[in-house]
Amino acid sequence: MQQPTSRQLYAYWDRVRNGRVAPRRFEIEPARIPALLPETFIAEGAGALGFRFRLAGTKICEQFGKELRGIDLLSLFDDDDRDQLAAVLHSVFTNGALGHAVFRSFTAANRQATFEIAIMPLIHSGETINRLLGVITAIEPPFWLGAEQLLRHELVESHLHWPDGPPAHEPQDSAEIVRLSPKRFRVLDGGLAESDVRVKN
């Protein structure tokens, strides 16, 4: 995670979870993170391949040029990228991993902006992960961002991060890369190691 908003939200999430796999939804207090809210979202699992926005920050919606509440996160991407991102989200939901990705977005005039997305597990009800807490932040936002609607989104890279180390059935080598051509997917073990190692096309 490179962007300040991503790192700050991760630090808050990690503090609230206090060693558990994930905090509960009601433990996330917006008043504690007011500066992060415009770029923060909450999504719910809406089926095997559905992850619907429940809340989306004002800055995210302004930059995308539309209200995202009720929209499936995966529907923003084409099939190949959707499958890759779905695999990341599945690990967040089933194993308490953290998801991290970089994607490019394009306007009708083919202008492009690059975003970082970080995704953390939440427990809304019961004892299983059934919500996502995340942040979408523009990387070096262009001057026109927010004035033109973003119509197409292309995944550049994606990662899994394990705050407490991966479960036994996941790869143990933090440098192991599973290639999903033409994109890349990396599993990272512990800490915020992805800030030191990047995968690029």
Side-chain angles (χ1 to χ4, degrees):
M1 300 178 200
Q2 294 293 312
Q3 300 305 301
T5 307
S6 299
R7 298 177 69 84
Q8 291 166 25
L9 187 63
Y10 170 83
Y12 174 71
W13 172 89
D14 193 41
R15 186 166 62 251
V16 173
R17 80 181 178 103
N18 193 27
R20 297 168 295 169
V21 67
R24 293 192 171 275
R25 167 67 181 88
F26 68 81
E27 295 177 306
I28 301 299
E29 300 181 57
R32 300 276 186 180
I33 50 172
L36 308 183
L37 296 180
E39 295 180 321
T40 298
F41 69 86
I42 290 178
E44 65 175 337
L49 292 176
F51 301 92
R52 187 170 53 231
F53 286 102
R54 296 277 297 182
L55 298 169
T58 54
K59 190 170 183 178
I60 301 173
C61 296
E62 288 170 2
Q63 291 178 338
F64 275 58
K66 63 181 177 181
E67 173 60 58
L68 292 178
R69 184 175 181 178
I71 292 177
D72 185 343
L73 172 59
L74 296 179
S75 72
L76 300 175
F77 297 88
D78 292 335
D79 289 348
D80 289 345
D81 289 345
R82 188 178 302 143
D83 291 344
Q84 184 170 337
L85 188 55
V88 171
L89 297 177
H90 178 74
S91 288
V92 176
F93 264 89
T94 59
N95 299 315
L98 301 185
H100 170 252
V102 173
F103 64 92
R104 296 190 189 100
S105 298
F106 301 85
T107 68
N110 211 36
R111 283 177 161 175
Q112 70 177 53
T114 304
F115 293 86
E116 177 177 84
I117 180 171
I119 305 162
M120 299 149 227
L122 279 180
I123 297 172
H124 178 68
S125 58
E127 300 300 325
T128 59
I129 295 165
N130 42 30
R131 290 287 190 277
L132 302 171
L133 173 67
V135 59
I136 298 176
T137 305
I139 301 172
E140 298 181 355
F143 72 91
W144 53 263
L145 189 59
E148 298 182 35
Q149 188 175 15
L150 300 175
L151 301 176
R152 183 169 61 87
H153 311 279
E154 179 182 276
L155 202 59
V156 176
E157 62 185 60
S158 61
H159 311 268
L160 284 179
H161 160 61
W162 304 96
D164 304 315
H169 60 279
E170 292 289 341
Q172 297 294 318
D173 183 355
S174 63
E176 180 170 347
I177 301 175
V178 180
R179 298 182 185 276
L180 299 179
S181 181
K183 310 298 186 301
R184 295 181 181 177
F185 176 84
R186 174 169 290 182
V187 177
L188 298 162
D189 180 7
L192 285 176
E194 66 267 41
S195 65
D196 301 318
V197 183
R198 304 286 289 177
V199 180
K200 298 182 179 179
N201 284 345

